[in-house]
Amino acid sequence: MSDLLDRKPGTRPDAKPYRRKDRAPRGDRPAWKEEPRAATRAGKAVVMVLAVALVLVPFWVVIATSLAPGRQIVDNGGWAFWPETWTFDAYEKVLSNEVTTRALLVSVGVAVFGTFLSLVCTVLLAYALARPRVVGGKPVMLLVLFTFLFPPGIIPTYLVVHGLGMIDTYWALFVPVLVNVFNLVVVRGFFQGIPEELYEAARLDGAGELRTLFTIVLPLSKAVIAVVGLFYAVGYWNDFFRGVMFLNDTSMYPLQTVLRGYVSQGEGLTSEFSAEGTLAQAPQAMKMAVVVIATIPILCVYPFIQRYFTKGVLTGAIKS
């Protein structure tokens, strides 16, 4: 009777009291159930510090080189780890260059307008392919996946763009890549994960497909749309190859195409700034300044979208 009174609620009468010595020996337990040892934790910390250093140190060298005086850069062989005197001469020269400022505006316009059009086309196509019993939905989905498995080459793409009369136009910078198949599959999987009862309720209220999309589906899909929008924006912002391939007028070049000429060939640096003694001797400062200017917009946008990143990608990928 005393055993019954002492027994904890919810335990069986014949249950044995838990004793620490009843646990399996340390060697018999799976590795993932073991407590990490001090050496293991220290090793993880060292690896993490090294990984962070491999990312931050080169980035800091780029920033420091862009802010260092030209004489120091020349003496150090083209780079600087810590500027002796902080100077923004390289940024002033780059931003005062008409080619760079025009290319910056072109890149901003292409990234904003292209991302908007890509999101519109991706969301509409993904919604249509996510709905059951859509006429022609399966053949269209197979065609979309076919382009993902067998992407077109450079020559066919150029012939299509040339045939559509988009050479030397800004349309050539985003129309050939208006819809990304990976982003389309992620958004489609997210839409398919929305409960069917919401669609039925909207249909009973008399809502059409567009109204259902804009009033029910899109408010629930902010995470995946933010992530896909980031993918599109980064792709448009970092692309330089389409500018080289489709634009013959150098005044229409986006920033990344101009940056490629600056970094790889030094075009527009030494000749334009030869009057500036130290800067002319160290065009590397100008190159690094252009790199920093091209990187800052993405660094400013990413922190606001980071919280949607994992949720949007994993939800769309798992439910697809």
Side-chain angles (χ1 to χ4, degrees):
M1 186 66 182
S2 61
D3 293 340
L4 293 177
L5 295 176
D6 296 338
R7 182 169 53 87
K8 294 182 179 180
T11 59
R12 292 166 46 192
D14 57 345
K16 296 181 179 180
Y18 174 78
R19 298 183 180 87
R20 187 175 182 84
K21 65 179 181 179
D22 294 335
R23 297 175 59 186
R26 184 179 182 88
D28 296 340
R29 298 200 302 271
W32 59 84
K33 291 186 177 180
E34 297 286 350
E35 289 290 335
R37 300 178 180 178
T40 304
R41 292 196 296 267
K44 292 179 180 179
V46 171
V47 171
M48 184 173 296
V49 170
L50 290 177
V52 173
L54 289 175
V55 175
L56 293 183
V57 170
F59 189 68
W60 168 250
V61 170
V62 171
I63 298 176
T65 304
S66 67
L67 296 173
R71 184 62 60 187
Q72 180 186 1
I73 298 173
V74 173
D75 294 340
N76 291 345
W79 62 276
F81 187 79
W82 187 265
E84 295 176 354
T85 58
W86 300 78
T87 175
F88 291 91
D89 291 344
Y91 291 93
E92 293 177 2
K93 297 303 178 183
V94 169
L95 294 177
S96 63
N97 184 9
E98 184 181 355
V99 175
T100 305
T101 54
R102 183 171 58 246
L104 180 60
L105 294 177
V106 171
S107 290
V108 171
V110 170
V112 173
F113 191 65
T115 301
F116 174 75
L117 287 182
S118 294
L119 282 178
V120 171
C121 295
T122 301
V123 168
L124 293 178
L125 183 57
Y127 179 75
L129 296 177
R131 304 303 301 132
R133 297 180 298 276
V134 174
V135 177
K138 185 172 292 186
V140 172
M141 189 63 195
L142 292 177
L143 289 176
V144 171
L145 294 177
F146 181 83
T147 61
F148 183 68
L149 298 175
F150 303 97
I154 296 176
I155 295 178
T157 302
Y158 181 85
L159 292 177
V160 171
V161 173
H162 184 272
L164 295 175
M166 292 189 298
I167 298 295
D168 270 341
T169 64
Y170 292 123
W171 293 101
L173 298 180
F174 51 83
V175 169
V177 289
L178 199 59
V179 176
N180 182 276
V181 179
F182 173 78
N183 295 337
L184 175 66
V185 172
V186 170
V187 177
R188 174 179 176 267
F190 192 94
F191 288 168
Q192 287 178 329
I194 297 177
E196 187 65 26
E197 290 78 7
L198 295 177
Y199 295 104
E200 295 178 357
R203 194 178 302 111
L204 291 175
D205 290 340
E209 295 295 343
L210 285 179
R211 185 177 178 184
T212 302
L213 173 63
F214 287 106
T215 60
I216 295 180
V217 177
L218 291 184
L220 298 175
S221 308
K222 293 179 180 179
V224 70
I225 292 176
V227 172
V228 170
L230 178 64
F231 286 163
Y232 277 125
V234 172
Y236 285 122
W237 182 263
N238 289 334
D239 182 72
F240 73 91
F241 186 70
R242 284 191 292 274
V244 175
M245 186 166 59
F246 299 133
L247 299 180
N248 298 319
D249 186 0
T250 57
S251 64
M252 301 176 63
Y253 276 0
L255 181 63
Q256 301 299 335
T257 306
V258 174
L259 172 63
R260 172 186 172 274
Y262 281 0
V263 175
S264 63
Q265 303 172 12
E267 296 175 355
L269 294 178
T270 307
S271 60
E272 293 187 19
F273 307 121
S274 58
E276 301 293 332
T278 56
L279 286 179
Q281 297 174 8
Q284 193 73 10
M286 231 80 68
K287 296 178 182 180
M288 297 301 102
V290 176
V291 172
V292 173
I293 293 173
T295 309
I296 285 177
I298 299 301
L299 293 180
C300 294
V301 173
Y302 184 77
F304 298 99
I305 306 180
Q306 183 182 10
R307 61 194 183 103
Y308 298 109
F309 190 83
T310 304
K311 179 182 177 182
V313 172
L314 289 182
T315 305
I318 292 174
K319 295 185 178 181
S320 60

